[in-house]
Amino acid sequence: MTADTYHHGNLRNALLDAVDGIIGEEGIAAVSLREAARRAGVSHSAPAHHFGDKTGLMTAYAARGFDLFGEMMRGAADGAAPGGPQARLRAIGITYLRFSVEHRALFEAMFRPEFSDPDDPVLRESSRRAFGVLLEAVERLDPADLGGAEPLHAAMASWATVHGLATLWHDGLIAQFTDEDLSSIATGVFDLDRGRTAPQE
Amino acid sequence: MTADTYHHGNLRNALLDAVDGIIGEEGIAAVSLREAARRAGVSHSAPAHHFGDKTGLMTAYAARGFDLFGEMMRGAADGAAPGGPQARLRAIGITYLRFSVEHRALFEAMFRPEFSDPDDPVLRESSRRAFGVLLEAVERLDPADLGGAEPLHAAMASWATVHGLATLWHDGLIAQFTDEDLSSIATGVFDLDRGRTAPQE
DNA sequence: TGTACATCAGTGAACGCGCGTTCACTGATGTAC
DNA sequence: TGTACATCAGTGAACGCGCGTTCACTGATGTAC
């Protein structure tokens, strides 16, 4: 992989990295094929070879995000498995928020569907797998912890809570009402939830 | 307010309505000063008179959204007041979701801060007032219902849950896992919450 | 009732810009023989 | 080891487009006297 050959060698990944940089530095609205090419040090028409068009580039970027997202949550879940289903779910929630902070550009693109093709099968499968980790974790809970509620609704509640927390935080809305940082708020919210579902502990 | 005078008479509002149409039909990325002017039947440079620049237009549009949002939640809260704090909070939650469906274009713009000026004092005050309605409602709950949790965290949890539900729904992510419609899911999630906080009822 | 004038709202031509996409091309690579 | 050739990755010129913004302007309105 010499530096200055005619063939880049890893242009596809380099372009996805470039998108990451653009979003991080200038926001998602600033992403363009030409700017991505510029950052990858390649002619402006090169990206079309790998992604077809702009939507293709953003779709691939979002799919990459969901893959990493899923991996991180699965890793966290497995690591917390010995603590039981509650610890497992909590670890996933924390990872959900951590991902949104550490990979903010990815997180943004994953949930700004106007730039990517929502019907792309690769993207759909990636997102499905990622969220599946969270949803499965709720299903593993002791039914008694659900208080008779349907598992699907319990899963949606957990998902929505953690997702809402992440997006409200990143949009700067939560900071209008408190000085607490995200992890402190998350702890409070998660404990609240545990206090409700398992007060006997 | 005759139709074909030189002066429009209500151009400011007409332009905001135009933005609403653009987002509803073509998505938020399609908004431009020129397209808004076109839809309002006015020369392309007219919008600058009222909003200065594109950010000004989007900021005014988002602020208008938060005003309506706040009014709707306050109206719903007051209407449900006789039912007590729990009913009040629930009515707000339902209204939050209803707003996101009935005024989807506004909802989108309000939470896509890359287009508007987050430091605009009018916008900040509008959003603060709107969310204040929800946050206040949580503070009115009987402390016993909070199970010893901090009111701030309980408020954040409610806010995040309902906001996450709205955004995940509109991004089409929830539909990947269930055929249920939004109001049915919302009912399930809210009942879950009530079942946890007030199982004695 | 009439006139002068200030103010405001909207016009239209012009500018420069960055963009997405197309297309004939060229340089590098790998494989068959 | 050498050569011919197919394939693939990336180039660079060109196109047309819609955009935001500026600016001198003009038409309408309201007010003072």
Side-chain angles (χ1 to χ4, degrees), chain B residues 12 40 97 128 174 177:
Chain B
R12 193 188 146 89
L97 295 176
R128 213 190 147 81
I174 288 178
F177 295 94

Side-chain angles (χ1 to χ4, degrees), chain A residues 98-175:
Chain A
R98 235 188 54 211
F99 178 88
S100 79
V101 170
E102 292 176 5
H103 302 281
R104 189 170 172 168
L106 278 175
F107 191 78
E108 230 173 278
M110 287 154 59
F111 298 102
R112 291 282 190 278
E114 66 264 28
F115 296 103
S116 50
D117 174 12
D119 296 326
D120 182 82
V122 172
L123 177 62
R124 285 181 78 87
E125 182 52 28
S126 292
S127 81
R128 212 190 149 80
R129 269 218 316 280
F131 296 127
V133 177
L134 190 156
L135 267 23
E136 263 172 41
V138 175
E139 281 162 16
R140 289 186 192 222
L141 290 178
D142 188 328
D145 289 342
L146 265 40
E150 286 190 37
L152 176 71
H153 293 151
M156 292 294 157
S158 294
W159 186 12
T161 303
V162 76
H163 185 74
L165 225 41
T167 56
L168 291 172
W169 175 260
H170 290 296
D171 285 352
L173 294 167
I174 288 176

Side-chain angles (χ1 to χ4, degrees), chain B residues 18-63:
Chain B
V19 170
D20 208 71
I22 298 169
I23 299 178
E25 293 163 29
E26 307 173 56
I28 197 165
V31 174
S32 73
L33 290 177
R34 292 175 103 109
E35 177 62 18
R38 229 171 273 135
R39 287 184 181 233
V42 105
S43 92
H44 68 260
S45 47
H49 262 272
H50 291 273
F51 301 104
D53 58 14
K54 187 181 176 180
T55 300
L57 173 64
M58 292 305 283
T59 302
Y61 179 74

Side-chain angles (χ1 to χ4, degrees), chain B residues 124-176:
Chain B
R124 285 181 78 88
E125 182 51 29
S126 292
S127 80
R128 213 190 147 81
R129 268 219 316 281
F131 296 128
V133 176
L134 189 157
L135 267 23
E136 263 173 40
V138 175
E139 281 163 16
R140 289 185 192 222
L141 291 177
D142 187 329
D145 288 343
L146 266 40
E150 284 190 40
L152 176 72
H153 292 151
M156 292 293 157
S158 294
W159 186 12
T161 303
V162 75
H163 185 75
L165 224 41
T167 56
L168 291 173
W169 175 259
H170 290 295
D171 286 352
L173 294 167
I174 288 178
Q176 288 193 326

Side-chain angles (χ1 to χ4, degrees), chain A residues 6-8 43-45 49-50:
Chain A
Y6 185 92
H7 286 97
H8 185 285
S43 91
H44 68 260
S45 46
H49 262 272
H50 292 273

